[in-house]
Amino acid sequence: MTLAIGQPVPDFTATATGDTTVSLADLKGRQVVVFFYPKASTPGCTTEGGDFRDRKADFDTVDTVILGVSRDGIRAQENFKAKQAFNFELISDKDEEVCKLFDVIKLKKLYGKEHLGIERSTFLIDAEGKLAREWRGVKVKGHAQEVLEAAQALHAEG
């Protein structure tokens, strides 16, 4: 199944930091940014998370929830969140259910070896639960700002 712009995103429920369970259905009426990153506490992921953290107040003004997702266990996610003072929840997707829903598991090459991993990707879901924008193969620099501007534009339309 491939998600398409303008189509409803199927509901998902996942274990998240702060001893919470995140369900997309519970967030209806708000915009949602779901960003997928390869691994907690690695340099690129730390920078990306920090960029979202530093813009959270701006996302809040346009009623947009930020969620980070990786295949790390909940303990690794809690440590990552605490260490970086992230002000949003991180989803532990060990069984890759959410990753598969958004089709972000890709064949990657590292040191000449191929493995399946998360392609850094971000999705913006509108207040009705439909996919509004997607970014795949994300480069970290400037990305959170671009997503913020898209969220602001979407909010202004609504």
Side-chain angles (χ1 to χ4, degrees):
M1 183 198 128
T2 310
L3 292 175
I5 303 291
Q7 294 301 306
V9 175
D11 187 29
F12 63 83
T13 301
T15 304
T17 50
D19 206 19
T20 59
T21 300
V22 172
S23 166
L24 193 57
D26 293 345
L27 298 172
K28 213 164 179 134
R30 302 183 72 188
Q31 296 179 170
V32 182
V33 167
V34 184
F35 76 96
F36 290 86
Y37 56 94
K39 188 141 183 54
S41 302
T42 55
C45 302
T46 299
T47 301
E48 183 179 25
D51 288 348
F52 278 108
R53 175 197 62 217
D54 297 346
R55 288 165 178 77
K56 183 169 184 305
D58 294 324
F59 278 102
D60 287 346
T61 62
V62 289
D63 203 17
T64 303
V65 178
I66 301 168
L67 296 170
V69 184
S70 77
R71 299 184 301 181
D72 294 289
I74 196 67
R75 190 114 127 268
Q77 297 289 49
E78 291 286 6
N79 291 342
F80 188 34
K81 180 184 172 186
K83 194 171 171 197
Q84 301 304 326
F86 290 155
N87 45 13
F88 50 84
E89 302 307 335
L90 300 177
I91 290 173
S92 168
D93 192 32
K94 279 179 96 95
D95 59 6
E96 299 179 358
E97 217 171 281
V98 184
C99 289
K100 286 180 177 142
L101 178 67
F102 287 90
D103 189 29
V104 298
I105 302 290
K106 303 290 180 197
L107 197 59
K108 300 168 85 174
K109 263 198 167 106
L110 188 64
Y111 308 121
K113 288 195 171 102
E114 289 189 337
H115 70 284
L116 286 174
I118 291 179
E119 176 185 50
R120 192 181 305 279
S121 308
T122 302
F123 300 85
L124 175 60
I125 302 166
D126 72 14
E128 291 171 13
K130 293 181 183 150
L131 184 62
R133 287 279 307 270
E134 66 177 14
W135 294 263
R136 293 183 181 272
V138 165
K139 300 285 175 264
V140 172
K141 192 170 168 41
H143 177 63
Q145 184 61 36
E146 189 184 335
V147 175
L148 173 61
E149 288 165 12
Q152 290 168 330
L154 185 62
H155 186 75
E157 288 167 21

Coordinates of all heavy atoms in Angstrom, one line a residue, residues 2-5 34 102-104 121-125 131-138 143 146-147 150:
T2 N 0.6 2.2 -0.9 CA 1.3 3.4 -0.9 C 0.4 4.6 -0.5 O -0.7 4.7 -1.0 CB 1.9 3.6 -2.3 OG1 2.5 2.4 -2.8 CG2 2.9 4.8 -2.4
L3 N 1.0 5.4 0.4 CA 0.2 6.6 0.8 C 0.3 7.6 -0.3 O 1.3 7.8 -0.9 CB 0.8 7.2 2.0 CG 0.7 6.3 3.3 CD1 1.5 7.0 4.4 CD2 -0.7 6.2 3.7
A4 N -0.8 8.3 -0.6 CA -0.9 9.3 -1.6 C -1.3 10.6 -1.0 O -2.1 10.6 -0.1 CB -1.8 8.8 -2.7
I5 N -0.7 11.7 -1.6 CA -1.1 13.0 -1.1 C -2.6 13.2 -1.3 O -3.2 12.8 -2.3 CB -0.4 14.1 -2.0 CG1 1.2 13.9 -1.9 CG2 -0.8 15.5 -1.5 CD1 1.8 14.2 -0.5
V34 N 5.2 13.6 11.2 CA 5.8 12.3 11.6 C 7.2 12.3 10.8 O 7.2 12.2 9.6 CB 5.0 11.1 11.2 CG1 5.6 9.8 11.7 CG2 3.5 11.2 11.7
F102 N 4.3 3.8 6.2 CA 4.8 5.0 5.4 C 5.8 4.6 4.4 O 6.4 5.4 3.7 CB 5.3 6.0 6.4 CG 4.3 6.7 7.2 CD1 3.8 6.3 8.4 CD2 3.7 7.9 6.7 CE1 2.8 6.9 9.1 CE2 2.7 8.6 7.4 CZ 2.3 8.1 8.6
D103 N 6.1 3.3 4.3 CA 7.0 2.8 3.3 C 8.4 3.5 3.4 O 8.9 4.0 2.4 CB 6.4 2.9 1.9 CG 7.3 2.2 0.8 OD1 7.9 1.2 1.2 OD2 7.3 2.6 -0.3
V104 N 9.0 3.5 4.6 CA 10.3 4.1 4.7 C 11.5 3.1 4.9 O 12.6 3.5 5.1 CB 10.3 5.1 5.9 CG1 9.3 6.3 5.6 CG2 10.0 4.5 7.2
S121 N 12.8 10.3 6.4 CA 11.6 10.8 5.7 C 10.7 11.5 6.7 O 10.7 11.2 7.8 CB 10.8 9.6 5.1 OG 11.6 8.8 4.3
T122 N 9.9 12.5 6.1 CA 9.0 13.2 7.0 C 7.6 13.3 6.3 O 7.6 13.5 5.0 CB 9.5 14.7 7.3 OG1 10.8 14.5 7.9 CG2 8.6 15.4 8.2
F123 N 6.6 13.3 7.0 CA 5.2 13.3 6.5 C 4.4 14.4 7.3 O 4.5 14.4 8.5 CB 4.5 12.0 6.6 CG 5.3 10.9 5.8 CD1 6.4 10.2 6.4 CD2 5.0 10.6 4.5 CE1 7.1 9.3 5.7 CE2 5.8 9.7 3.8 CZ 6.8 9.0 4.4
L124 N 3.6 15.2 6.6 CA 2.8 16.2 7.2 C 1.3 15.7 6.9 O 0.9 15.6 5.8 CB 3.0 17.6 6.6 CG 2.1 18.7 7.0 CD1 2.2 18.9 8.6 CD2 2.5 20.0 6.3
I125 N 0.6 15.5 8.0 CA -0.8 15.0 7.9 C -1.7 16.2 8.3 O -1.4 16.8 9.3 CB -1.0 13.8 8.9 CG1 0.0 12.7 8.5 CG2 -2.4 13.3 8.8 CD1 0.1 11.6 9.5
L131 N -2.9 12.8 4.2 CA -1.5 13.2 3.9 C -1.4 14.5 3.1 O -2.0 14.5 2.0 CB -0.8 12.0 3.1 CG 0.7 12.2 2.8 CD1 1.5 12.3 4.2 CD2 1.2 11.0 2.0
A132 N -0.7 15.5 3.6 CA -0.7 16.8 2.9 C 0.7 16.9 2.2 O 0.7 17.5 1.0 CB -0.8 17.9 3.9
R133 N 1.8 16.5 2.8 CA 3.1 16.6 2.1 C 3.9 15.4 2.6 O 3.8 14.9 3.6 CB 3.8 17.9 2.6 CG 3.3 19.2 2.1 CD 3.7 19.6 0.7 NE 5.2 19.6 0.4 CZ 6.0 20.6 0.6 NH1 5.5 21.8 1.1 NH2 7.3 20.5 0.3
E134 N 4.9 15.1 1.7 CA 5.9 14.1 2.1 C 7.3 14.5 1.6 O 7.4 15.1 0.6 CB 5.6 12.7 1.6 CG 5.6 12.5 0.1 CD 5.3 11.1 -0.3 OE1 4.8 10.3 0.5 OE2 5.5 10.8 -1.5
W135 N 8.3 14.2 2.4 CA 9.7 14.4 2.1 C 10.4 13.1 2.3 O 10.4 12.5 3.3 CB 10.3 15.5 3.0 CG 9.8 16.8 2.9 CD1 10.3 17.9 2.2 CD2 8.6 17.4 3.6 NE1 9.5 19.0 2.4 CE2 8.5 18.7 3.3 CE3 7.7 16.8 4.5 CZ2 7.5 19.6 3.8 CZ3 6.7 17.6 5.0 CH2 6.6 19.0 4.6
R136 N 11.0 12.6 1.2 CA 11.8 11.4 1.3 C 13.3 11.6 1.0 O 13.6 12.5 0.3 CB 11.2 10.3 0.3 CG 9.8 9.9 0.7 CD 9.3 8.8 -0.2 NE 7.9 8.4 0.2 CZ 7.6 7.5 1.1 NH1 8.6 6.8 1.7 NH2 6.3 7.2 1.3
G137 N 14.1 10.8 1.6 CA 15.5 10.9 1.4 C 16.0 12.3 1.8 O 16.8 13.0 1.2
V138 N 15.5 12.7 3.0 CA 15.7 14.0 3.6 C 17.2 14.3 3.9 O 17.9 13.5 4.4 CB 14.9 14.1 4.9 CG1 15.3 15.3 5.7 CG2 13.4 14.2 4.6
H143 N 15.8 21.3 6.9 CA 14.6 20.5 6.7 C 13.5 20.9 7.7 O 12.3 21.1 7.3 CB 14.9 19.0 6.9 CG 13.7 18.1 6.7 ND1 13.0 18.1 5.6 CD2 13.1 17.3 7.6 CE1 11.9 17.2 5.8 NE2 12.0 16.8 7.0
E146 N 11.7 23.9 6.6 CA 10.9 23.7 5.5 C 9.5 23.0 5.9 O 8.5 23.4 5.4 CB 11.6 22.8 4.5 CG 11.0 22.7 3.1 CD 11.7 21.7 2.2 OE1 12.9 21.5 2.3 OE2 11.0 21.2 1.3
V147 N 9.6 22.1 6.8 CA 8.4 21.4 7.2 C 7.5 22.4 8.0 O 6.3 22.4 7.8 CB 8.8 20.2 8.1 CG1 7.5 19.5 8.7 CG2 9.6 19.1 7.3
A150 N 5.7 24.5 5.6 CA 4.6 23.8 5.0 C 3.4 23.6 6.0 O 2.2 23.8 5.6 CB 5.1 22.4 4.6

